Amino acid sequence: MTDHAHDLAALREATDRLLGATGKLDDAALAEPSRLPGWSRGHVIAHLSRNADALANVLHGLPMYADSETRDRDIERDAPRPQAQQLADLAASAARFVAAAAEPADWSRTVTLRNGVTDSAAGVLFRRRAEVELHHVDLGVGYELEDLPDEFVAREIGFLAERFAGHPEVVPTSLADDTGRVWTTGGGAEGGPVAVRGTAAGLVGWLSGRRDGAALTAEGGRLPALPPL
């Protein structure tokens, strides 16, 4: 079950943290590499701005992006902008998404995202929060996976575990963090089951492709190799 008011408030808090961090970066810092291969910090911020508008499009019943080429071209176009422009765009686009998410609506309705992926309208708020939280980490400015709100991390592990559920390349896998929370994923490949254990931050880092899983333990087989998201 989703709590629309909670998700909206949590998104606002995450956005404020991101804006605060971005406001401390100068032009040179934005031009430096992020933790995402091939992307500067400016690319990450440009992506977040365009993603906010794209997800607002989804809530309004429009295509998320005109096409993948437009998405990529817009990010490349916006990445080199000066910090003041980047910050203004990030704040304005985030505000547009929040305004769309605050409108009275049927939040149980089905909406379409990229590549034909569907979700409930309510689920779009958490997807945007995940973009904000995880890409904040990708900036490499001192906000780490361990700093993410625990409630968010647990939900994101569940979200990512569901994405890999039944995947033909992933053996049946159980996940457990050090507080005893358990999730299951995979199941489409022969082998296993494998039991993976570690901290919640370690699990979400591995599932999202941000860590190699070296800090996790695996019983019943090797740590599964996860395909790209």
Side-chain angles (χ1 to χ4, degrees), residues 94-118:
R96 288 192 292 270
F97 177 80
V98 167
E103 295 174 2
D106 174 11
W107 294 104
S108 66
R109 73 189 188 278
T110 299
V111 295
T112 302
L113 295 103
R114 291 180 67 200
N115 302 320
V117 173
T118 60

Side-chain angles (χ1 to χ4, degrees), residues 123-145:
V124 175
L125 274 75
F126 185 73
R127 287 175 180 269
R128 173 60 184 173
R129 185 183 174 192
E131 293 281 335
V132 171
E133 293 281 25
L134 294 177
H135 285 317
H136 189 167
V137 173
D138 295 334
L139 289 174
V141 293
Y143 189 66
E144 304 296 340
L145 294 173

Side-chain angles (χ1 to χ4, degrees), residues 170-186:
V170 183
V171 301
T173 305
S174 65
L175 312 169
D177 72 3
D178 49 9
T179 70
R181 292 177 296 198
V182 176
W183 302 264
T184 59
T185 192

Side-chain angles (χ1 to χ4, degrees), residues 23-152:
K24 297 175 183 178
L25 303 176
D26 58 18
D27 291 353
L30 283 180
E32 292 173 351
S34 73
R35 292 176 176 174
L36 296 178
W39 271 15
S40 67
R41 292 189 178 113
H43 283 89
V44 175
I45 298 301
H47 163 64
L48 282 165
S49 296
R50 302 288 66 79
N51 172 263
D53 285 335
L55 290 178
N57 286 341
V58 169
L59 292 181
H60 289 135
L62 301 171
M64 188 170 175
Y65 297 100
D67 50 54
S68 60
E69 290 77 14
T70 298
R71 171 186 177 274
D72 296 343
R73 185 170 60 247
D74 287 351
I75 292 171
E76 291 296 332
R77 177 198 66 203
D78 295 344
R81 294 177 301 176
Q83 187 266 6
Q85 291 183 27
Q86 290 272 36
L87 187 61
D89 188 17
L90 182 64
S93 59
R96 288 192 292 270
F97 177 80
V98 167
E103 295 174 2
D106 174 11
W107 294 104
S108 66
R109 73 189 188 278
T110 299
V111 295
T112 302
L113 295 103
R114 291 180 67 200
N115 302 320
V117 173
T118 60
D119 198 354
S120 67
V124 175
L125 274 75
F126 185 73
R127 287 175 180 269
R128 173 60 184 173
R129 185 183 174 192
E131 293 281 335
V132 171
E133 293 281 25
L134 294 177
H135 285 317
H136 189 167
V137 173
D138 295 334
L139 289 174
V141 293
Y143 189 66
E144 304 296 340
L145 294 173
E146 286 77 11
D147 299 316
L148 295 169
D150 182 67
E151 167 267 340
F152 166 77

